[in-house]
Amino acid sequence: LAATSIHHVANGVRYLKSAQTLKPGGHIAVLGNHPGADDPEFRQELDRIYTQWWGDELARMYAKQTLENRIGATQRQIEDSGQFGPVSIIQHPWSVEYDVHRYLALLDSDSGRLNHPPEAQEGLKRDIAEVIYRMGGTVRRGYVAVRALAKRR
């Protein structure tokens, strides 16, 4: 079972090492959480704010990371390793309602923000907080829990 840690193993050996630890006929289960459907108005505001503070290039990169692309990449990596049979995917959508304090704590847990200067991090948080207050003080973010399961060859 590899929850959200498998991405820390180098791509070239990730599934080879996993297969080597399993008995023949054993299974690998890769679990992950991905962004899901958001309120369209909130999503539009987030896209605007991230573009403003982190730039167009990162905004374009994020837009390419659709749920389908993220799941497809995991599935292809497992299958292309040659170590496992067909991959079965199960998706479970879920959501969380955030107030401003809780949403800003979520942002603080994202290590990717550390790639940006402190003034950009603070500006991003300030602008997102303003949007959440303007939208009534809470927002709902969608997520999708994904399980990829494959049998070792």
Side-chain angles (χ1 to χ4, degrees):
L1 174 66
T4 58
S5 63
I6 196 161
H7 68 281
H8 292 291
V9 180
N11 282 340
V13 296
R14 181 176 298 164
Y15 295 106
L16 174 63
K17 285 183 177 265
S18 298
Q20 290 171 343
T21 64
L22 291 170
K23 293 180 181 179
H27 288 76
I28 186 170
V30 179
L31 308 176
N33 265 315
H34 303 290
D38 290 321
D39 172 270
E41 180 185 355
F42 185 57
R43 178 77 259 158
Q44 184 176 10
E45 289 288 349
L46 284 179
D47 291 343
R48 178 187 61 76
I49 293 167
Y50 275 96
T51 299
Q52 175 185 343
W53 288 106
W54 290 6
D56 288 335
E57 184 178 337
L58 281 176
R60 282 193 300 276
M61 279 179 28
Y62 180 82
K64 290 179 183 176
Q65 294 180 358
T66 65
L67 177 62
E68 294 77 18
N69 287 343
R70 291 169 187 249
I71 293 171
T74 298
Q75 186 170 2
R76 279 189 304 282
Q77 289 172 2
I78 295 170
E79 290 173 348
D80 292 351
S81 75
Q83 303 298 313
F84 298 93
V87 179
S88 127
I89 302 288
I90 293 178
Q91 300 179 40
H92 177 73
W94 60 284
S95 65
V96 176
E97 187 171 69
Y98 293 98
D99 62 15
V100 170
H101 175 75
R102 198 164 169 213
Y103 197 85
L104 295 182
L106 173 69
L107 292 178
D108 284 340
S109 73
D110 178 10
S111 61
R113 71 184 169 75
L114 300 175
N115 297 325
H116 304 281
E119 61 272 10
Q121 294 178 43
E122 291 307 311
L124 179 98
K125 288 166 59 175
R126 181 189 64 242
D127 289 355
I128 290 174
E130 288 174 8
V131 167
I132 294 171
Y133 283 128
R134 194 175 66 238
M135 296 181 79
T138 62
V139 292
R140 184 162 293 280
R141 292 291 322 258
Y143 299 97
V144 178
V146 177
R147 190 234 46 205
L149 182 69
K151 186 176 180 179
R152 180 181 166 206
R153 294 183 191 263

